[in-house]
Amino acid sequence: MSTLDMPTTAMDRTLRGLVSSEIQLNIGAVLHFDGQPPQLGDIRDYIGTRLAALPALAAWMPQGARRWTVVDEVDLSSHVAEYVVPVQENLEQVVVELAKTPLPEDAPHWRMWLLRGYAPDRYALLYLVHHSVQDGAGMLRTLESLFAPGVPESESSAAYHGFAQNPRASARTRMQCAATDLRSLRSLGTWDLPESRPTHEVGFAWSRVPTGTLTSIARASGCTRNDVYVAALAHALASWQSEIRGTADLPDMPLLVSANVRRPDEVALAGNRTAISYLRLPGTPLPFDQRLAGTVSATVPLKSPTVRAALRRNFDSTPAWLMRTTFSALSTPRRAPTSVSNVVLRHPLALHGDPVTAIDPITTTLGGLPLSVLLLVNGDTATACFRASAGLPGLDRIHRTWEQTLLSWESDAATLSRS
């Protein structure tokens, strides 16, 4: 083994230190293929040919380490396995159970499973990686490198391409971003409900909508698909909160939004390069146009390459102790936000000519946050993974409300376009 001449980030070390027997900090994706299932040995051999382009898959971090350790040879016989799924109906439950699997502690922190047996002409690959090793963007680069190997780093889905403009962040912009982050520590009490119960049980749920639904709403409203995604989630949470609290005052909703700050030359590297931005949205139910307008206004800074550059500078300079302290403060019910992430895969994937027909993202929940959501846009489908605390009544149905909200808004957007 050797030590990679690249330091771990404060975020990497913080996530590595969040050890819990109840919740595994695993992220990843399930890739669904059309084609005859391959042999396990073929999968291992193929991945072996791609490891040179994937340095993150050879890296791991001992507890407390400040640099990555790299193995001389990745033991694919232990990292890549198979699981026979007897019937299609069991596939999602198998994924849920495997996603809770502890990843290797003293070896590269990832695993992959070939899922087969549920159909003669379909199979799936489940890729899991510890969040300290990769964020959502890094995970996308792994998928591209394995299943779309011709994509250059400059065109990767993993990079924030706004950095191509070479934006420069002033000290004032950096201070403004830091002040926004400090506001996330305010106590709003969104999750402080008498009906809630302490629990480490966190559910899994997926919701899928056509990408065209997000696009049509965004075009009609003059915003981005990410704005629509976040606004619909805020609407669903406001509706849930209204049902739980009744006519009582409804506190605002804090959201921690992941902002990609990964440069093109960093797409394949191990570690997190995601800054966290704080949004505070109204907790009362609002009409479609008001909800979207308020969300668009709140997300304006995130669309600025200059602000992203400031977030990256702050990310690079934040010490691990401060990041750990912030995570600890945000884990209390009165301060806890919803974690919101969105990634877009811009290239089609395939394995030996078998096309990837669908991708289901897998996210985790950090430090006791009651709700974490990851949206992955892939071609014609946008799929969101919801991790909701079982201790909050009705929150396990929030994914259905989000989906219904988008379908309803699509009709509203069509009416708006015709007017």
Side-chain angles (χ1 to χ4, degrees):
M1 295 187 184
S2 61
T3 300
L4 188 65
D5 188 22
M6 183 183 69
T8 57
T9 69
M11 178 71 81
D12 303 336
R13 297 192 295 277
T14 299
L15 293 174
R16 185 72 176 95
L18 292 176
V19 178
S20 169
S21 59
E22 293 87 7
I23 299 174
Q24 303 299 324
L25 293 185
N26 301 341
I27 66 169
V30 185
L31 281 66
H32 300 269
F33 293 84
D34 274 354
Q36 185 176 356
Q39 296 297 311
L40 177 61
D42 294 338
I43 296 291
R44 288 172 175 166
D45 290 345
Y46 175 71
I47 293 175
T49 67
R50 301 298 306 152
L51 285 177
L54 293 165
L57 297 191
W60 65 286
M61 188 199 314
Q63 286 283 359
R66 300 186 64 86
R67 292 186 177 274
W68 293 101
T69 296
V70 180
V71 297
D72 297 326
E73 184 175 350
V74 179
D75 181 8
L76 294 178
S77 64
S78 63
H79 282 280
V80 183
E82 69 177 344
Y83 195 106
V84 177
V85 184
V87 292
Q88 174 77 44
E89 289 73 19
N90 291 352
L91 181 58
E92 186 169 296
Q93 187 56 41
V94 167
V95 168
V96 168
E97 292 305 315
L98 291 176
K100 301 175 183 177
T101 301
L103 296 174
E105 278 287 315
D106 55 356
H109 311 310
W110 67 274
R111 290 194 71 186
M112 181 178 287
W113 286 267
L114 167 64
L115 307 178
R116 62 174 183 83
Y118 55 89
D121 56 355
R122 293 195 304 276
Y123 61 97
L125 289 175
L126 165 60
Y127 171 64
L128 280 186
V129 62
H130 195 277
H131 204 341
S132 63
V133 178
Q134 288 183 329
D135 50 23
M139 181 263 292
L140 287 190
R141 184 54 181 175
T142 294
L143 300 184
E144 286 178 342
S145 296
L146 289 174
F147 307 112
V151 176
E153 292 183 344
S154 60
E155 298 176 15
S156 173
S157 307
Y160 174 64
H161 295 285
F163 287 152
Q165 305 172 26
N166 294 317
R168 297 188 179 276
S170 66
R172 179 180 180 182
T173 304
R174 291 185 63 190
M175 289 293 293
Q176 288 173 337
C177 291
T180 298
D181 291 342
L182 287 175
R183 285 198 291 272
S184 68
L185 300 179
R186 291 180 179 176
S187 177
L188 297 180
T190 305
W191 310 102
D192 193 9
L193 300 167
E195 298 87 350
S196 64
R197 58 181 176 86
T199 180
H200 292 290
E201 183 181 352
V202 180
F204 264 103
W206 284 270
S207 188
R208 302 164 183 86
V209 297
T211 303
T213 296
L214 297 172
T215 302
S216 62
I217 299 170
R219 286 176 176 170
S221 306
C223 61
T224 67
R225 291 187 305 208
N226 185 63
D227 290 331
V228 176
Y229 155 54
V230 173
L233 181 59
H235 182 86
L237 286 170
S239 299
W240 169 80
Q241 183 177 225
S242 178
E243 291 178 6
I244 295 295
R245 296 181 183 272
T247 58
D249 291 337
L250 301 179
D252 286 348
M253 294 177 299
L255 277 69
L256 285 187
V257 180
S258 298
N260 185 12
V261 290
R262 187 178 293 262
R263 302 185 184 99
D265 61 334
E266 299 171 323
V267 293
L269 298 182
N272 287 255
R273 286 161 184 83
T274 298
I276 305 298
S277 185
Y278 176 75
L279 300 184
R280 179 174 174 173
L281 299 178
T284 56
L286 296 173
F288 158 68
D289 55 344
Q290 292 183 31
R291 175 62 70 187
L292 262 179
T295 304
V296 170
S297 177
T299 60
V300 164
L302 293 178
K303 302 179 178 76
S304 164
T306 300
V307 170
R308 292 287 182 110
L311 290 172
R312 175 59 191 261
R313 291 283 301 277
N314 289 353
F315 175 86
D316 288 339
S317 60
T318 300
W321 68 263
L322 180 56
M323 198 163 289
R324 288 194 299 270
T325 301
T326 302
F327 269 92
S328 178
L330 292 176
S331 65
T332 61
R334 294 199 61 80
R335 290 194 178 98
T338 295
S339 174
V340 182
S341 304
N342 175 21
V343 294
V344 180
L345 184 61
R346 306 184 185 281
H347 307 282
L349 307 182
L351 174 63
H352 301 319
D354 296 344
V356 172
T357 57
I359 303 177
D360 297 330
I362 293 172
T363 191
T364 186
T365 183
L366 304 175
L369 300 188
L371 179 64
S372 297
V373 188
L374 168 61
L375 179 72
L376 190 152
V377 177
N378 170 46
D380 295 334
T381 305
T383 305
C385 178
F386 287 73
R387 302 296 310 275
S389 170
L392 290 158
L395 197 61
D396 59 341
R397 299 189 297 274
I398 201 73
H399 63 291
R400 297 194 185 98
T401 309
W402 175 79
E403 182 177 339
Q404 292 163 1
T405 296
L406 287 171
L407 297 177
S408 173
W409 283 4
E410 187 175 27
S411 298
D412 293 338
T415 302
L416 183 64
S417 298
R418 289 193 296 267
S419 62

